[in-house]
Amino acid sequence: MLRKLIKYDLLWMNRTLIIFYIITFVFAILMRLGENLTDSVIGSLLRHILPGFVIGAMINVIINAAIRIWVRFRQNCYKDEAYLTHTLPITRAQLYDSKVIAALISTVIAVAVVITCFFIAFWNNDMYEYFCSLVENADMGFIIGGILVTALLEIIYVIAVGLFGLVVGHRRNNNRVLYSVVIGMILYFTLQAILLAVIYCIGFFDDGIKAMFESSPENAISLDNYRTLIVSADTAYLVLNVCLYALGKHYFEKGVNVD
C-alpha cells in the first residue's frame, strides 16, 4: 500500500511538472545552439534573451515542484480526498512517510533537471576558469559536489518547512491556509537566522569559518575554508530537515482536522 501511495503521488505531481521539464530542456538546448548563430540582429537578440529564459525556466521548475508537493499534501490529507485517504489500511505515520518520500523523489528529479539544463546551457571553459579563480588549488569535483549538495539540502529544507507549516496550520479551526503560510515563513526565516548565527559563532573557534566572513571578494578562498563551511552548512541543514520531519510526523500522528 505504501508503494502505491508513493506511485500515485509521484504521478500526480509530475504529470504537470514534466511540461516544465520539457520547456526548460528546450530553452537550454536553444541556448547552446544559439552560440553558433551569426552576428545578425536576430542572432544577437536571441543570445541576449535566451539566458533569461533558461534561468527563469530553471527557477520555475524548483518553485513548481515545491508547490505541487504542498498542494498534493494538503488536498490528499486535509481536503475532500482526505475522507478516502484516511480510510486506507495504513497508519498516519505511514501516510506521512509516503508523502515525504514522494516529495524527496520529486525534489531530486527537479534538481537533476535543473543541473542538467544548467550544464547544457552555460558550462564552458570560461566558467571552469572562474571557479578555479575562486578557490586556491581547487578540486573541482569537491567544489561542484559541495555546491550541489548544499543546494539540494536547502531546497529540501524549504519544502520541509512548508509541510510542517501545513501540519501545524491545519490544526486550527479556521484560516488554516493563512496560518500555514505564516507559520512556514516565520519558521523559515527564524531558522535561517539561527543557522547563520551558529556558523558565525563557530568562526570564533575555527579560523576557516572566520575567514569566510572576513575575506574580501578579491581574495581567493582556500579549499580548507570552503570545505569547512560546506560541511558545517550541510550538517546543519541535514539536522534541521530531520528535526522538521520528526516534528511534522509527530503532530500529524496526533490528529488531522479534515476541511
Side-chain angles (χ1 to χ4, degrees):
M1 180 58 70
L2 190 63
R3 289 183 179 179
K4 288 184 179 180
L5 283 175
I6 295 172
K7 182 184 74 172
Y8 292 138
D9 285 341
L10 289 174
L11 288 173
W12 189 93
M13 295 173 190
N14 287 285
R15 69 186 179 190
T16 300
L17 289 175
I18 193 170
I19 298 173
F20 296 104
Y21 298 159
I22 293 172
I23 292 173
T24 306
F25 271 112
V26 169
F27 282 141
I29 293 171
L30 289 175
M31 175 74 182
R32 176 60 65 181
L33 295 176
E35 295 180 356
N36 300 320
L37 293 175
T38 62
D39 292 329
S40 62
V41 175
I42 298 299
S44 178
L45 183 64
L46 288 175
R47 281 196 295 271
H48 283 84
I49 292 177
L50 284 174
F53 280 128
V54 174
I55 294 172
M58 291 191 297
I59 295 173
N60 195 42
V61 164
I62 299 299
I63 292 175
N64 274 281
I67 291 174
R68 296 292 290 179
I69 289 168
W70 294 329
V71 169
R72 178 60 175 175
F73 182 75
R74 181 170 181 266
Q75 289 186 351
N76 208 227
C77 295
Y78 295 103
K79 300 298 288 182
D80 292 341
E81 295 180 17
Y83 291 100
L84 175 61
T85 301
H86 292 293
T87 61
L88 297 173
I90 56 173
T91 64
R92 286 199 184 100
Q94 291 175 318
L95 177 60
Y96 191 81
D97 286 341
S98 72
K99 303 302 178 187
V100 171
I101 293 171
L104 288 174
I105 294 173
S106 292
T107 302
V108 170
I109 293 173
V111 171
V113 169
V114 168
I115 292 171
T116 303
C117 289
F118 175 84
F119 279 104
I120 292 174
F122 298 108
W123 189 256
N124 53 38
N125 291 332
D126 291 338
M127 188 169 292
Y128 177 86
E129 293 175 0
Y130 174 74
F131 272 99
C132 290
S133 68
L134 293 180
V135 182
E136 298 173 351
N137 303 320
D139 177 355
M140 286 304 296
F142 176 81
I143 295 171
I144 296 175
I147 293 173
L148 296 182
V149 170
T150 303
L152 177 61
L153 290 174
E154 165 69 15
I155 294 169
I156 293 173
Y157 163 70
V158 172
I159 293 172
V161 167
L163 291 176
F164 180 81
L166 285 170
V167 171
V168 176
H170 279 75
R171 294 183 62 81
R172 301 190 64 88
N173 294 323
N174 48 48
N175 296 324
R176 296 176 179 177
V177 174
L178 177 62
Y179 279 107
S180 297
V181 173
V182 171
I183 290 170
M185 291 183 65
I186 292 175
L187 185 62
Y188 174 81
F189 288 111
T190 301
L191 292 178
Q192 286 290 83
I194 293 173
L195 175 60
L196 184 61
V198 169
I199 293 177
Y200 182 80
C201 290
I202 294 175
F204 290 111
F205 308 97
D206 189 294
D207 292 336
I209 294 294
K210 186 177 181 179
M212 299 294 284
F213 285 94
E214 297 181 351
S215 295
S216 62
E218 293 80 10
N219 296 329
I221 300 170
S222 71
L223 183 59
D224 289 338
N225 292 348
Y226 177 86
R227 181 182 289 109
T228 302
L229 181 64
I230 274 294
V231 171
S232 300
D234 288 352
T235 301
Y237 275 127
L238 186 60
V239 171
L240 287 176
N241 288 333
V242 171
C243 290
L244 287 169
Y245 160 74
L247 287 172
K249 186 175 181 178
H250 170 73
Y251 283 112
F252 191 79
E253 287 184 282
K254 291 179 68 174
V256 176
N257 296 326
V258 179
D259 290 346

